[in-house]
Amino acid sequence: MYPVSRLAAVQEATAKGGLDALLLTPGPDLRYVSGYDAKPLERLTCLVVPAAGEPFMMVPRLELPAAEASPASRLGLEFVAWDETDEPYALAAARLGGVAKVGLADRMWAMSSLRFREVLPGAEQVLAGSVLRELRMRKSPAEVAALREAGEAIDAVHRRVPELLRAGRTEREVARDIAEAILASGHATVDFVIVASGPNGASPHHDVSDRVIRPGEPVVVDIGGQLHNGYCSDSTRTYSVGEPPAEFAAYYEVLRQAQEAACAAVRPGVSCESVDAAARDLIASAGYGEHFVHRTGHGIGIETHEEPYIVAGNGEPLEPGHAFSVEPGIYLAGRHGARIEDIVVCTESGGERLNNTPRELVIV
């Protein structure tokens, strides 16, 4: 999952990108490169990857056992343990030497960024994502297998949702049971649970509330988590507690066809914005264009949201290994809403859906 060869590929990309080094503190970039899911602490942990020379990792002595037990130990890195009275930023800068341009982890705390600016005053700071994005976007077969496993795990949860949804329960009560099911399915963490009933379904990022679910109401259920290997799941299905309003049933069928069209559009060389348009044009032609208020999808991997983004204006062509959501939605403010979301991987010949629960409206 975190191959030793990845570090050499990152060094090569760093050099090609015109950077002298990457500075990767705890977060997705560090985990992607090293496999170490380090705790984000005020004490500095930082993988230093020079374009030329030997990488090393600054580690608080308290965290050295955890670093040595992580997949990073297979990389042949030197772990530079620092003590409470040391100045780790200065130590890292001294070992790195003179540099003109460095890439900082995209999720680096401002505290760390500013400290590195102090100890490397002549170095331009840019985002490490400028050189890591191409590597992270193209998933390896092992990464695709991990995403497939995550998709199967979250599908198992959606299969349980009909037994949890019923009139008289609150969104929060249903969400609590879903969260337990996510962990029971093999996830290490629950990243989010959206249970949006009735008018709450018209808010794409509604969380949960104490609202009581009523008979005849649609309910949007968007759920995801992270497996122990670091790879994420994300899938949305829309349910109805009893027969839904006729208006809802009509536009749900439009949505289902739009989601199908966008998934069918996936193949190498097709632009990200073309996949977005496949869903958006169909929804607009049915008269619901103004009610589709977000992009069609986002990349997924060790983060739930990462590149590539399936959105108008993104002319980047899809490549085999790109993994992303396809999740058009229709939202009628004050009434109800619906969304259908699958994770799709671009293959050599088309697209593979990693979620396979029914996309037709499920009436419970």
Side-chain angles (χ1 to χ4, degrees):
M1 193 57 60
Y2 299 97
V4 172
S5 59
R6 186 172 288 169
L7 184 58
V10 169
Q11 279 196 286
E12 181 180 355
T14 300
K16 286 184 177 179
L19 276 64
D20 296 308
L22 297 186
L23 304 174
L24 305 181
T25 48
D29 289 333
L30 174 62
R31 189 169 191 179
Y32 174 79
V33 176
S34 71
Y36 181 28
D37 186 20
K39 296 177 183 177
L41 304 171
E42 76 281 5
R43 297 182 176 94
L44 177 69
T45 293
C46 183
L47 174 61
V48 180
V49 185
E54 295 299 319
F56 60 93
M57 187 180 293
M58 303 293 303
V59 184
R61 192 168 298 279
L62 292 171
E63 301 299 319
L64 183 59
E68 291 177 333
S70 78
S73 64
R74 300 182 297 108
L75 302 181
L77 289 170
E78 179 184 2
F79 292 107
V80 181
W82 60 272
D83 296 304
E84 296 287 75
T85 56
D86 291 333
E87 191 359 272
Y89 294 90
L91 290 174
R95 291 179 66 96
L96 185 57
V99 289
K101 190 175 185 179
V102 296
L104 307 184
D106 286 13
R107 300 295 179 86
M108 182 181 287
W109 286 353
M111 175 183 75
S112 296
S113 172
L114 293 173
R115 293 294 301 279
F116 275 123
R117 181 167 294 171
E118 290 175 3
V119 298
L120 297 169
E124 178 187 357
Q125 294 183 346
V126 299
L127 293 176
S130 63
V131 298
L132 292 179
R133 68 180 303 272
E134 295 294 332
L135 295 172
R136 286 187 56 179
M137 277 199 300
R138 291 193 295 271
K139 269 58 180 184
S140 68
E143 290 179 285
V144 172
L147 288 170
R148 190 178 293 115
E149 179 185 356
E152 291 170 354
I154 209 66
D155 279 358
V157 180
H158 269 297
R159 292 188 189 99
R160 289 195 55 194
V161 168
E163 71 189 58
L164 304 175
L165 271 179
R166 62 179 181 268
R169 302 198 77 196
T170 67
E171 293 175 348
R172 196 177 309 280
E173 288 169 339
V174 174
R176 178 197 62 212
D177 292 343
I178 289 175
E180 291 177 358
I182 290 173
L183 295 176
S185 73
H187 289 80
T189 63
V190 178
D191 287 352
F192 55 91
V193 176
I194 294 173
V195 178
S197 63
N200 289 340
S203 174
H205 277 180
H206 175 74
D207 187 10
V208 297
S209 72
D210 291 319
R211 185 181 187 278
V212 176
I213 300 168
R214 300 171 184 172
E217 288 189 334
V219 183
V220 178
V221 177
D222 185 351
I223 54 178
Q226 190 175 63
L227 300 185
H228 290 276
N229 58 26
Y231 284 76
C232 297
S233 65
D234 185 4
S235 180
T236 307
R237 293 292 184 262
T238 301
Y239 303 83
S240 182
V241 181
E243 289 295 330
E247 174 191 41
F248 174 86
Y251 76 70
Y252 186 87
E253 180 56 23
V254 171
L255 178 66
R256 189 193 65 77
Q257 292 176 14
Q259 205 262 354
E260 188 72 28
C263 289
V266 174
R267 62 184 182 277
V270 168
S271 68
C272 293
E273 64 182 356
S274 294
V275 177
D276 179 88
R280 195 169 303 278
D281 291 351
L282 197 155
I283 290 172
S285 66
Y288 296 101
E290 66 182 290
H291 302 293
F292 180 13
V293 297
H294 55 73
R295 63 194 175 205
T296 293
H298 55 80
I300 191 169
I302 56 174
E303 291 183 274
T304 306
H305 285 197
E306 57 183 53
E307 296 191 77
Y309 293 104
I310 311 303
V311 64
N314 185 2
E316 190 163 20
L318 294 177
E319 298 179 19
H322 285 178
F324 47 88
S325 68
V326 175
E327 52 176 306
I330 297 174
Y331 311 96
L332 272 60
R335 287 178 277 177
H336 32 60
R339 183 166 62 256
I340 305 171
E341 176 185 18
D342 292 323
I343 300 304
V344 179
V345 175
C346 184
T347 68
E348 295 287 347
S349 58
E352 177 192 355
R353 281 170 158 157
L354 303 187
N355 299 107
N356 294 291
T357 55
R359 297 169 192 93
E360 295 76 18
L361 181 64
V362 176
I363 299 177
V364 300

